[in-house]
Amino acid sequence: MTAPSLAAAPPALTGRRNLEGNEACALGAIRAGCRFFAGYPITPSSEVAETMARELPKVGGTFIQMEDEIASMGAVIGASMGGVTAMTATSGPGFSLKQENLGYACGAEIPCVIVNVMRGGPSTGMPTRPAQGDILQARWGTHGDHAVIVLAPASVGEAYSETIRAVELSETLRVPVVVLLDEVIGHLTETVDLGAVPETPGIARPFATGPREGFLPYAETADLVPPMPRPGDGYRSHCTGLTHGPDGFPTQNPAVAAAALTRTTDKLVLHRARIESWREQATEDADLLIVAIGISARAARQAVKDLRAEGLKVGLFRPVTLWPFPETPLREAVAAAGTRKVLVPEMNQGQLVLEVERVLAGRAEVAGLSRIDGETLTPDEIAGAAREALK
Amino acid sequence: MKDTKTESAASFDVNDYLRQDRMPHFLCPGCGHGIALRALLWAVHEQGIPKDRLAVVSGIGCSGRLSAYIDANTFHTTHGRPLTFATGLKLARPDLHVIVITGDGDCLAIGGNHLIHACRRNLDITCVMLNNEIYGMTGGQVSPMTAEGRFTTTTPEGNTEPNFDACALAAAAGASFVGREVTAQVLALKTLLGQAIAHEGFSFVEVLSDCTEIYGRKNDLGASPEMMLAKKSAMRPYAYRNTVDVPFRPNALRTGVLTRTDRPEYGAAWRAMAARIRNEEH
Ligand SMILES: Cc1ncc(C[n+]2csc(CCOP(=O)(O)OP(=O)(O)O)c2C)c(N)n1
Ligand code: SF4
Ligand SMILES: [Mg+2]
């Protein structure tokens, strides 16, 4: 079994194609070496599974539709434990069902990618309408302290490239990565250059290769990412969701338990530079900065253009890596421009704005702009709120 | 004639399959789960499965803790979900022998949906359900296998719910191999588990295990020998179904191999389909 790599991309995944965000997500995963998908149908994410069902057999991968989302998440973790790169996709209610096993993957450090195409909620909500209500669920959905990475594409091209990056981060850092789309990005059709893959340091998972005798599956290495034993390679190690020490076995020793949890969260701090990603538009001199993700950021981009045409100094800061939140870059953008006001438009009752408030801690006046009726925020709405704030 | 029984017993040392550095184990004295573990490892030995190729996936419970003692590739997963992890693992790595150890609560309550779908799919996994009629790990609450009238911490006046016939359930859901055995019959249990491991497709084995410390005490069932013997005498080996000299017990549960059918194994069927697609592409 060879480690997945970008070099081994299937020949079909080249050239420019018109794709939906959901399809792009699936193809990005395959391009990055994903060879296992387990899922359960749910609008507006089902096209990810449908694309995987069609494409995976062609590249020697495995697709399975499980009996529910809990089972899908379990199967994905099981495949990944076997050494195969694995992904699942879902939407709100299904994302909730995946949370317990997602926490297992956090605790046991099993690489996996979870696509959540956000729809209106809570509960069954508005299945076919867009929302951004899972911004905090994506970060804190599972129980207990844990480290997780969340990427938030804002175009079909990014659905492709960010899913590739999701696989790369997940595999190399042994951490679950959530790709957080909203219904609009998931169902939007745009042209994608499938050959234009992001510059990545390499997708290969660190597999254990050293001596079998005395092997510690969760040893504290310099990069805080312990090489993963692959079944069949002779390590015969144990993997558990119970808090475990370097030997992989359960422990209740306070020092060992604290060190184990601390390492998995420190891991993301250590590799933060590689994980963080954001885009800035006209931020250099912005009096007012808009912070937005996904389709709301697309609307904000237009609003910034319109407001600049009016002579208003407005910019956009768009986290592409949503969690861990790019807090230093945001603080720096605000400090460099002497930004006075920050506007956070989002399709929920105010989730991202809480993080922005925390990060800026009084450095600028932060206000939210919510829309929760199943319609997207428009450039005019955002521009209107910005004008109001600058008065 | 070669005495294969004695030969196998002589060549099998359970310690070869246990992680010695994990001893002593945490099971209560007399717990049936330990007997089941020994029988399972003996079956693994007889089937000649190399430890490096053996993957044991367990759920959460006293039963779930057993995987940590086995010198193999072991995965202690989430409550009720070991079959889902095992499904992904086996599909991704068909070269591994995948055995699931689960409890009656793990397998039939929280994991019931996964069990019936695993039975239906027929992926080559051996599912060993240790049925002690109770939630042992959490201190003795009622389970879907607790008999009517039994006392548990959540049925202080006696259980008013009927229990499943787990083997009938698995067979109805399509399991291609189904069997049941008691811990009092270690040799028969070992043989049954070996047959289940050798079977190509999904196999389900219900081991009637004994929670001596909690269930036994609470229901005055005596110490482990009494519990085991009582279960043994309530069983009716399926192999004797047509013999007249075994006294007929109308309510007895059957033991031994109860269902064995030959139908396509899911992983092989998937791979054949995928290979066909790849050939058509070229
Ligand atoms: C999601 C979840 N719910 C509940 C529990 C608590 N829990 C742990 S073991 C167990 C029951 C175990 O019973 P069984 O499967 O029969 O195993 P036994 O201990 O009897 O071997 C429960 C309810 C849990 N760990 N996870
Ligand atoms: S509580 Fe019951 S099932 Fe658990 S180890 Fe003790 S006797 Fe065995
Ligand atoms: Mg039990």
Side-chain angles (χ1 to χ4, degrees), chain A:
Chain A
M1 213 148 288
T2 51
S5 82
L6 280 175
L13 294 186
T14 53
R16 293 173 73 81
R17 295 255 296 270
N18 278 339
L19 294 172
E20 261 190 9
N22 284 343
E23 274 183 293
C25 210
L27 296 184
I30 291 177
R31 184 75 168 85
C34 173
R35 292 295 178 270
F36 185 92
F37 183 96
Y40 188 79
I42 183 167
T43 303
S45 77
S46 299
E47 297 83 3
V48 181
E50 288 164 356
T51 308
M52 284 305 216
R54 195 181 64 226
E55 298 297 329
L56 273 176
K58 298 181 191 168
V59 295
T62 308
F63 168 90
I64 186 167
Q65 180 171 316
M66 295 295 286
E67 53 272 17
D68 58 30
E69 287 86 348
I70 300 171
S72 316
M73 193 65 213
V76 158
I77 298 171
S80 184
M81 286 166 156
V84 174
T85 303
M87 179 171 100
T88 184
T90 187
S91 184
F95 192 47
S96 297
L97 285 178
K98 290 186 192 292
Q99 292 296 346
E100 187 202 2
N101 281 343
L102 200 161
Y104 181 94
C106 291
E109 297 176 83
I110 312 297
C112 53
V113 173
I114 305 97
V115 179
N116 175 18
V117 189
M118 290 182 284
R119 66 189 219 178
S123 191
T124 309
M126 289 187 280
T128 61
R129 307 303 311 174
Q132 298 179 317
D134 301 342
I135 286 175
L136 292 181
Q137 187 188 192
R139 174 64 190 91
W140 292 114
T142 196
H143 54 286
D145 292 311
H146 61 279
V148 67
I149 296 174
V150 182
L151 308 180
S155 67
V156 178
E158 268 188 5
Y160 182 69
S161 59
E162 286 302 307
T163 306
I164 294 177
R165 209 165 67 92
V167 172
E168 189 260 320
L169 291 172
S170 177
E171 290 290 313
T172 55
L173 298 176
R174 291 190 61 180
V175 65
V177 178
V178 176
V179 178
L180 198 61
L181 301 174
D182 50 63
E183 186 275 338
V184 185
I185 303 297
H187 283 159
L188 192 68
T189 298
E190 293 181 306
T191 307
V192 182
D193 183 355
L194 294 177
V197 294
E199 297 252 334
T200 57
I203 298 228
R205 182 187 303 186
F207 283 114
T209 52
R212 275 61 179 163
E213 200 60 40
F215 172 70
L216 295 174
Y218 293 94
E220 182 152 340
T221 51
D223 66 354
L224 304 182
V225 186
M228 193 163 162
R230 187 166 29 193
D233 286 359
Y235 291 99
R236 299 204 299 272
S237 56
H238 187 57
C239 180
T240 177
L242 285 165
T243 299
H244 44 270
D247 62 3
F249 291 102
T251 181
Q252 295 191 28
N253 175 315
V256 180
L261 180 58
T262 307
R263 182 181 57 72
T264 60
T265 48
D266 278 359
K267 184 167 72 175
L268 296 203
V269 177
L270 182 69
H271 296 277
R272 195 154 187 143
R274 191 142 82 72
I275 299 167
E276 266 178 359
S277 173
W278 73 97
R279 299 284 182 280
E280 296 183 28
Q281 174 195 359
T283 52
E284 323 75 54
D285 60 346
D287 286 336
L288 180 140
L289 191 64
I290 301 171
V291 181
I293 60 159
I295 192 61
S296 302
R298 295 286 286 266
R301 192 161 71 188
Q302 185 59 44
V304 168
K305 281 187 194 158
D306 296 347
L307 293 164
R308 283 276 168 180
E310 290 169 25
L312 291 171
K313 290 183 179 170
V314 176
L316 171 65
F317 182 96
R318 177 168 72 85
V320 179
T321 298
L322 176 59
W323 303 110
F325 189 85
E327 49 186 60
T328 307
L330 177 62
R331 281 192 204 114
E332 283 173 1
V334 164
T339 301
R340 293 179 294 122
K341 308 238 169 169
V342 172
L343 179 67
V344 188
E346 53 187 325
M347 292 158 64
N348 57 53
Q349 288 187 317
Q351 298 187 15
L352 187 57
V353 68
L354 299 175
E355 181 66 3
V356 174
E357 276 169 355
R358 183 192 73 78
V359 166
L360 293 180
R363 292 173 176 83
E365 196 182 307
V366 179
L369 174 64
S370 287
R371 183 148 193 182
I372 53 162
D373 60 356
E375 297 292 330
T376 53
L377 280 156
T378 65
D380 284 352
E381 272 176 279
I382 296 171
R387 270 186 221 105
E388 201 57 38
L390 283 172
K391 255 184 201 159

Side-chain angles (χ1 to χ4, degrees), chain B residues 26-29 31-33 62 132 134 136-137 210-214:
Chain B
F26 90 128
L27 297 171
C28 305
C31 176
H33 288 2
C62 296
N132 55 8
I134 195 82
M137 187 70 156
D210 327 279
C211 174
T212 48
E213 272 310 294
I214 296 178

